[in-house]
Amino acid sequence: MAARGTAAAGLAALGLSLAGCGAGGTGARDEGPARGASVAQSAPSPSSSPAPTAKRVDAVALVKNDPKVSAEVKRDLKPCVADEYPVDVSYGKLTGGSSDDIVVNVMTCGDAVGVGSYVYRAVGTEYQNVFRVEEPPVYAEIDRGDLVVTMQVYEKGDPVEYPSGENVITYHWSSNRFVEQARTHNDYSNAVGGGSPTAPEN
């Protein structure tokens, strides 16, 4: 995404990345040690079993078959190039289940604006929608077991690539639902001389 300060900019490309669609963000899998933490104190023994990999799902089918997803999002969810769809997918632990939860971000093809973010929880052999937001521009990601949703804020006259600021909302899973834990608003500085935008003000 070309907009400034989005959560998508720092994600690792471990989910479904669609470079052909112009999607700037990619999904990240929230597993393993925190950044900067030691992976292991000693070399693993030869008998160590490899870490299990997350079960991959058809995120496009998941969204299109979901009755909680708006008809508008479903209608606009089409391939950008060939059979490549503008979706980012993240796998990780959010709801305390035995299987990884799935975060799906649906974007536009041209400018990769997030139009919908969804969280799916494994329930038996099916996936249940336990969170959705369809107020663009929006992007959701997994951060240390919490769900972090970034929503960019536009003032009148703001171009798509230069929003005036952003709201960052952190949710934690509690009592079978996501509960808001923190909310931060960042205002962006004006671009100097019509060039690249500056860092957000604190």
Side-chain angles (χ1 to χ4, degrees), residues 15-16 27-30 54-60 62-63 66 87-95 99-105 117-123 125-132 140-142 147 178:
L16 179 59
R29 184 172 174 183
D30 188 31
K55 177 184 177 182
R56 294 301 189 259
V57 300
D58 184 343
V60 174
L62 200 60
V63 170
D66 184 354
V87 295
D88 282 355
V89 186
S90 304
Y91 299 85
K93 300 296 185 183
L94 279 173
T95 67
S99 300
D100 278 348
D101 300 296
I102 303 171
V103 177
V104 181
N105 288 288
S117 296
Y118 312 92
V119 178
Y120 294 93
R121 185 177 194 234
V123 179
T125 59
E126 304 294 326
Y127 284 95
Q128 178 183 5
N129 184 326
V130 293
F131 181 91
R132 72 185 175 98
E141 61 182 317
I142 302 170
L147 178 66
F178 282 105

Side-chain angles (χ1 to χ4, degrees), residues 18-86:
L18 299 176
C21 298
T26 57
R29 184 172 174 183
D30 188 31
E31 291 187 352
R35 291 186 182 93
S38 174
V39 175
Q41 296 300 320
S42 60
S45 64
S47 61
S48 296
S49 300
T53 57
K55 177 184 177 182
R56 294 301 189 259
V57 300
D58 184 343
V60 174
L62 200 60
V63 170
K64 287 193 170 186
N65 294 327
D66 184 354
K68 292 186 178 181
V69 176
S70 70
E72 182 179 4
V73 170
K74 291 180 180 180
R75 183 179 63 249
D76 294 339
L77 182 53
K78 300 176 181 178
C80 298
V81 178
D83 61 348
E84 295 182 346
Y85 286 80

